[in-house]
Amino acid sequence: MAGTAQAMHPAPLVEAEWLNDQLNNESLVVLDVRSSIDDGGDRNAFEAARIPGSRYSNYAEEGWREERDGVVGLMPDPDDLAQLIGGLGIANDDTVIVVPAGTGPTDFASATRVYWTFKALGHDEVAILNGGFAGWEQQGFETASGPAAPPEATMFSATLREELLATDEQVEASQQAGEQLVDARPEGFYVGTQQSPDVRVPGTIPDAVNLPHDGALVERDGAWYLEPERLTAAIDALELDRETPTVAFCNTGHWAASGWFQLSEVGGLSDVTMYDGSMAAWTRDDSRPVHLAGRGVVSVGELLD
């Protein structure tokens, strides 16, 4: 639980007070992932103010996701990710606390995607700072500034957990089997009144339910926090079975990571995968079905005609 005196095996979501108590723990790495996603986050912002001792990696620019075959946001090769992580001075026996900007629900998803990446690579010692850096500052904890010394690179060994990553074929099988599909996008994308430029047609995967990634996040004094009680109520309202295999998706695997984190790590669902290709990959095939409000279930090709 957050607030425990132990650094190892922290809860998936930790509070600033807990982290402040752990900053002198040599096995702890605080990883700041601010980027353009949070409107102005970059290395300059990190050097202007950061959690003491933290390290920096730009989520949007430094290789946490990649484009392949016209689909953005996919998981890179595990060896490439292991090189990225090792270059940050993170070893397999470190406990990593991922710190988003804390300025909105979408930048919270940056932290969840990095968290999911660590888990998918076999690294369980990872958590997210609830409220992010904004919450740390807002609660009055100490900050540091100025150029940060580059970390000493180390070896990080990755072992891919395929059960956390849903492929196109697995999502098709899940949809046909009637397993739980959870669309983590805001409602407009789910019903089809909004469309991402990375997705060929509007709509959602048939039979998916909508659990918007931002529904359980609330703003307090300028920082955004995930509230587990609000999340539990939303899961129960959708009547999701916590034991049924579940796939979380969105447009490009960003909001989906937040959906996965909320369902799997906080909401208590036991078997959740994340579809990193999401609707960007799903709609590449003209024969795949989508559900569009007012049209029902139609193929991608029919909507393109």
Side-chain angles (χ1 to χ4, degrees):
M1 296 296 290
T4 178
Q6 295 182 344
M8 301 305 287
H9 303 295
L13 194 67
V14 300
E15 303 299 327
E17 182 179 3
W18 179 92
L19 179 56
N20 186 61
D21 289 341
Q22 301 294 333
L23 285 184
N24 291 327
N25 191 312
E26 293 184 357
S27 67
L28 194 79
V29 174
V30 180
L31 182 61
D32 189 313
V33 297
R34 283 178 279 179
S35 73
S36 58
I37 285 173
D38 45 85
D39 190 22
D42 56 16
R43 184 172 292 277
N44 289 333
F46 172 76
E47 292 184 350
R50 62 182 179 272
I51 295 173
S54 57
R55 303 173 196 177
Y56 179 70
S57 182
N58 189 307
Y59 165 75
E61 298 178 4
E62 295 186 5
W64 292 100
R65 306 196 299 163
E66 69 178 18
E67 179 177 346
R68 293 195 304 273
D69 301 323
V71 178
V72 300
L74 296 176
M75 181 182 185
D77 184 275
D79 289 340
D80 293 337
L81 287 166
Q83 185 173 1
L84 167 64
I85 293 167
L88 294 168
I90 297 172
N92 293 84
D93 57 355
D94 286 327
T95 296
V96 181
I97 309 300
V98 186
V99 179
T103 55
T106 292
D107 82 65
F108 179 77
S110 302
T112 60
R113 179 61 189 257
V114 172
Y115 176 104
W116 173 86
T117 299
F118 273 100
K119 297 283 280 193
L121 296 177
H123 190 82
D124 285 327
E125 297 298 334
V126 59
I128 293 173
L129 176 62
N130 203 11
F133 181 70
W136 178 271
E137 267 196 316
Q138 177 262 322
Q139 292 175 61
F141 290 105
E142 180 184 358
T143 61
S145 62
E152 183 178 346
T154 189
M155 288 293 296
F156 181 87
S157 177
T159 303
L160 182 63
R161 285 180 173 143
E162 295 184 356
E163 67 271 18
L164 295 186
L165 179 66
T167 64
D168 296 340
E169 295 74 21
Q170 289 168 336
V171 175
E172 286 181 334
S174 293
Q175 194 268 331
Q176 293 167 8
E179 295 177 346
Q180 293 178 153
L181 301 171
V182 178
D183 189 333
R185 299 175 296 173
E187 184 182 14
F189 292 96
Y190 175 70
V191 300
T193 57
Q194 291 177 271
Q195 181 180 344
S196 165
D198 296 311
V199 178
R200 294 175 72 210
V201 298
T204 191
I205 300 174
D207 303 319
V209 298
N210 189 209
L211 185 71
H213 72 100
D214 55 355
L217 285 144
V218 298
E219 186 270 335
R220 296 199 300 269
D221 298 323
W224 286 79
Y225 297 85
L226 178 66
E227 290 194 344
E229 299 81 5
R230 186 181 294 254
L231 174 62
T232 297
I235 291 172
D236 291 343
L238 288 172
E239 298 183 346
L240 291 172
D241 187 332
R242 285 174 169 77
E243 305 303 320
T244 297
T246 304
V247 177
F249 68 94
C250 63
N251 288 317
T252 64
H254 179 75
W255 290 333
S258 186
W260 174 87
F261 179 85
Q262 293 182 45
L263 292 167
S264 173
E265 308 301 89
V266 181
L269 274 71
S270 63
D271 184 5
V272 188
T273 58
M274 202 269 284
Y275 184 21
D276 64 337
S278 286
M279 293 303 294
W282 182 262
T283 59
R284 295 284 291 177
D285 187 333
D286 286 3
S287 68
R288 289 200 182 113
V290 294
H291 183 273
L292 184 63
R295 289 285 299 272
V297 177
V298 294
S299 72
V300 170
E302 286 178 89
L303 289 179
L304 290 172
D305 288 340

